[in-house]
Amino acid sequence: QVQLVESGGGLVQAGGSLRLSCAASGRTFSSYAMGWFRQAPGKEREFVAVINWSGGTTYYADSVKGRFSISRDNAKKTVYLQTNSLKPEDTAVYYCATKFSNLIRYSDSERYDYWGQGTQVTVSS
């Protein structure tokens, strides 16, 4: 089993930045991919970014490409999501999740195994 705890969310003005963190415990962190998803009120959960076990491969949703950056520190068992140039439409609860099947169908939330409790990001205009 894996336990995930997100942090770093908050209220920020449009154009601002936040760095989200997701700390993992349990199964060997360096053996699986990690993803970030988000869910806005009244909308379905959507893929944001994913990183493979080594950090050498990343993918992003088109809506965040060039503004967000995913990274990981396997020694600290932590994955990060640096969010820059935030827009009001980025407002959502952000979740991290484990993906034991590496990057196969990485944008499909049903392919992820364990989820954190989420951290709220609110971007004001």
Side-chain angles (χ1 to χ4, degrees):
Q1 287 195 352
V2 176
Q3 293 78 43
L4 302 172
V5 179
E6 299 101 332
S7 61
L11 173 64
V12 64
Q13 290 187 335
S17 300
L18 286 172
R19 188 193 196 199
L20 308 184
S21 298
C22 171
S25 61
R27 180 169 166 169
T28 304
F29 182 73
S30 59
S31 67
Y32 50 84
M34 291 291 299
W36 284 95
F37 284 74
R38 65 186 182 185
Q39 188 167 20
K43 295 187 177 181
E44 293 186 356
R45 189 169 298 189
E46 65 172 354
F47 168 75
V48 175
V50 68
I51 188 167
N52 77 328
W53 67 272
S54 68
T57 302
T58 58
Y59 295 105
Y60 296 91
D62 287 343
S63 59
V64 306
K65 202 171 295 183
R67 299 188 298 122
F68 291 10
S69 177
I70 188 171
S71 62
R72 66 189 295 159
D73 185 332
N74 286 344
K76 295 183 178 179
K77 299 182 180 181
T78 301
V79 63
Y80 304 97
L81 186 69
Q82 178 67 42
T83 67
N84 299 325
S85 302
L86 284 162
K87 305 175 182 179
E89 51 263 44
D90 294 317
T91 295
V93 177
Y94 283 69
Y95 300 90
C96 64
T98 67
K99 195 174 189 305
F100 298 152
S101 57
N102 207 6
L103 300 183
I104 297 172
R105 294 182 62 180
Y106 60 81
S107 63
D108 183 351
S109 62
E110 294 187 1
R111 294 287 178 166
Y112 288 73
D113 314 283
Y114 293 94
W115 294 80
Q117 83 289 350
T119 185
Q120 176 71 47
V121 171
T122 303
V123 184
S124 63
S125 57

